[in-house]
Amino acid sequence: MACLRMQSCFFFILTLCFWASNCVEFNDIFEPSWATDHVMYEGELLKLKLDNVSGAGFASKATYLFGKTGAQIKLVPGDSAGTVTAFYMSSEGTLHDEFDFEFLGNASGEPYIVQTNIYSNGTGNREQRIYLWFDPTADFHTYSFLWNHNQVVFFVDSVPIRVFPNNERLGVPYPKKQPMKVSSSIWNADNWATQGGRLKINWSHSPFISTYKSFDIDANESGVNAESGGVNENGSKWWDMPSYSKLSPLQRRMLRWVHRNYIIYDYCNDSTRFPTSPPECAGLRF
Ligand SMILES: *[C@@H]1O[C@H](CO)[C@@H](O)[C@H](O)[C@H]1NC(C)=O
Ligand SMILES: *[C@@H]1O[C@H](CO)[C@@H](O)[C@H](O)[C@H]1NC(C)=O
Ligand SMILES: *[C@@H]1O[C@H](CO)[C@@H](O)[C@H](O)[C@H]1NC(C)=O
Ligand SMILES: *[C@@H]1O[C@H](CO)[C@@H](O)[C@H](O)[C@H]1NC(C)=O
Ligand SMILES: *[C@@H]1O[C@H](CO)[C@@H](O)[C@H](O)[C@H]1NC(C)=O
Ligand SMILES: *[C@@H]1O[C@H](CO)[C@@H](O)[C@H](O)[C@H]1NC(C)=O
Ligand SMILES: *[C@@H]1O[C@H](CO)[C@@H](O)[C@H](O)[C@H]1NC(C)=O
């Protein structure tokens, strides 16, 4: 069975990871959100399957407000055209907040696209698209979100690929009130995902399987020691320490490297779609 270690770094922070001795079940933290029979456990691995019957998804049982959440994922190998695997955090309702990684599959040997998006107070339309600097189907890589009062950062391994700073001073709503679930899913998106929807899923190559090895959640879980305010020994939370309030100089260099070499699309740069540039695009983005 998939197995997680639960380690209380401070009394309210949970760090969860596979491969350890002191174990709780994957099922204690997550649950299938649809198509239970397409969510498969194999040893330490968890697999989500898309076939001509269904896609699949899972979500955390708890919700989290601020912290870091991530997963090690190996994406659908070979011909993945028309498939999308997503790893995301989301709250509920029409005025919801959401952070998305969407991995857009491709024909065998052609590159995946990683599309990211951010919703705040129900408004999204903030897509960015990049290529990766490695083959995401060859090995596991960590995809994660860092989230605090000052910024949301999307990481691929230790490389920040996107930052959404708190731009409330520019009138941009910032996600800071709505706890979110951590979720993942795979589905048929061949009407848009691959080469603009021209490449369809070839069902003779199904099932399409994305594989998860571990999860890392070090975040403020709703309802856990709520009366304590969730403070650590210093009366604060690690993600609100100054060192996490903005990117380090090294992280800024890495983000610029991604933007120079791997970005394909940036909504901030799309004047056809946004004749008036969205306000946060005027702020410092990297
Ligand atoms: C789905 O795939 C299975 C196995 O490949 C095949 O037998 C079945 O006919 C397919 N069903 C549909 C609705 O395409
Ligand atoms: C969120 O959107 C609603 C509906 O448009 C609006 O009334 C509210 O003021 C917004 N909240 C923030 C924080 O911008
Ligand atoms: C798929 O491959 C084509 C050709 O290399 C490329 O133009 C496209 O950006 C790739 N990714 C997707 C998701 O279409
Ligand atoms: C689907 O894959 C099969 C097996 O590889 C191949 O023979 C067929 O031509 C493919 N269909 C399309 C529409 O590309
Ligand atoms: C943790 O989340 C709760 C809401 O679920 C919030 O009231 C509290 O301020 C948060 N604490 C920290 C340390 O972020
Ligand atoms: C607590 O504060 C000390 C001194 O400012 C600092 O070195 C340490 O990293 C802090 N610990 C935590 C858990 O925030
Ligand atoms: C931004 O726009 C310029 C001019 O239209 C274009 O040359 C460039 O490729 C765009 N960059 C991105 C990341 O979209």
Side-chain angles (χ1 to χ4, degrees), residues 52-53 203 206:
N52 64 0
V53 177
W203 291 108
S206 99

mmCIF file of all heavy atoms in Angstrom, residues 52-53 203 206, ligand 1:
data_model
loop_
_atom_site.group_PDB
_atom_site.id
_atom_site.type_symbol
_atom_site.label_atom_id
_atom_site.label_comp_id
_atom_site.label_asym_id
_atom_site.label_seq_id
_atom_site.Cartn_x
_atom_site.Cartn_y
_atom_site.Cartn_z
ATOM 1 N N ASN A 52 -11.077 5.005 -22.498
ATOM 2 C CA ASN A 52 -12.265 5.483 -23.211
ATOM 3 C C ASN A 52 -13.523 5.444 -22.344
ATOM 4 O O ASN A 52 -14.583 5.878 -22.783
ATOM 5 C CB ASN A 52 -12.454 4.729 -24.542
ATOM 6 C CG ASN A 52 -12.733 3.247 -24.316
ATOM 7 O OD1 ASN A 52 -12.784 2.777 -23.171
ATOM 8 N ND2 ASN A 52 -12.916 2.517 -25.413
ATOM 9 N N VAL A 53 -13.394 4.956 -21.113
ATOM 10 C CA VAL A 53 -14.534 4.962 -20.193
ATOM 11 C C VAL A 53 -14.512 6.201 -19.306
ATOM 12 O O VAL A 53 -15.533 6.844 -19.088
ATOM 13 C CB VAL A 53 -14.537 3.689 -19.305
ATOM 14 C CG1 VAL A 53 -15.671 3.725 -18.302
ATOM 15 C CG2 VAL A 53 -14.611 2.447 -20.171
ATOM 16 N N TRP A 203 -7.151 6.401 -29.139
ATOM 17 C CA TRP A 203 -7.558 5.475 -28.071
ATOM 18 C C TRP A 203 -6.876 4.118 -28.163
ATOM 19 O O TRP A 203 -6.861 3.367 -27.186
ATOM 20 C CB TRP A 203 -9.078 5.304 -28.052
ATOM 21 C CG TRP A 203 -9.763 6.569 -27.602
ATOM 22 C CD1 TRP A 203 -10.490 7.425 -28.380
ATOM 23 C CD2 TRP A 203 -9.747 7.135 -26.285
ATOM 24 N NE1 TRP A 203 -10.939 8.495 -27.635
ATOM 25 C CE2 TRP A 203 -10.500 8.335 -26.333
ATOM 26 C CE3 TRP A 203 -9.173 6.766 -25.074
ATOM 27 C CZ2 TRP A 203 -10.698 9.153 -25.231
ATOM 28 C CZ3 TRP A 203 -9.365 7.578 -23.966
ATOM 29 C CH2 TRP A 203 -10.125 8.752 -24.049
ATOM 30 N N SER A 206 -4.469 3.824 -25.415
ATOM 31 C CA SER A 206 -4.912 3.912 -24.031
ATOM 32 C C SER A 206 -4.630 2.572 -23.326
ATOM 33 O O SER A 206 -4.491 1.548 -24.007
ATOM 34 C CB SER A 206 -6.390 4.293 -23.982
ATOM 35 O OG SER A 206 -7.219 3.175 -23.794
HETATM 36 C C1 LIG B 1 -13.087 1.082 -25.188
HETATM 37 O O1 LIG B 1 -11.886 0.332 -25.285
HETATM 38 C C2 LIG B 1 -12.074 -1.050 -25.161
HETATM 39 C C3 LIG B 1 -10.709 -1.724 -25.072
HETATM 40 O O2 LIG B 1 -9.760 -1.052 -25.865
HETATM 41 C C4 LIG B 1 -12.893 -1.527 -26.347
HETATM 42 O O3 LIG B 1 -13.109 -2.925 -26.253
HETATM 43 C C5 LIG B 1 -14.251 -0.810 -26.330
HETATM 44 O O4 LIG B 1 -14.977 -1.133 -27.466
HETATM 45 C C6 LIG B 1 -14.050 0.686 -26.303
HETATM 46 N N1 LIG B 1 -15.330 1.337 -26.070
HETATM 47 C C7 LIG B 1 -15.699 2.423 -26.726
HETATM 48 C C8 LIG B 1 -17.016 2.997 -26.346
HETATM 49 O O5 LIG B 1 -15.006 2.950 -27.586
#
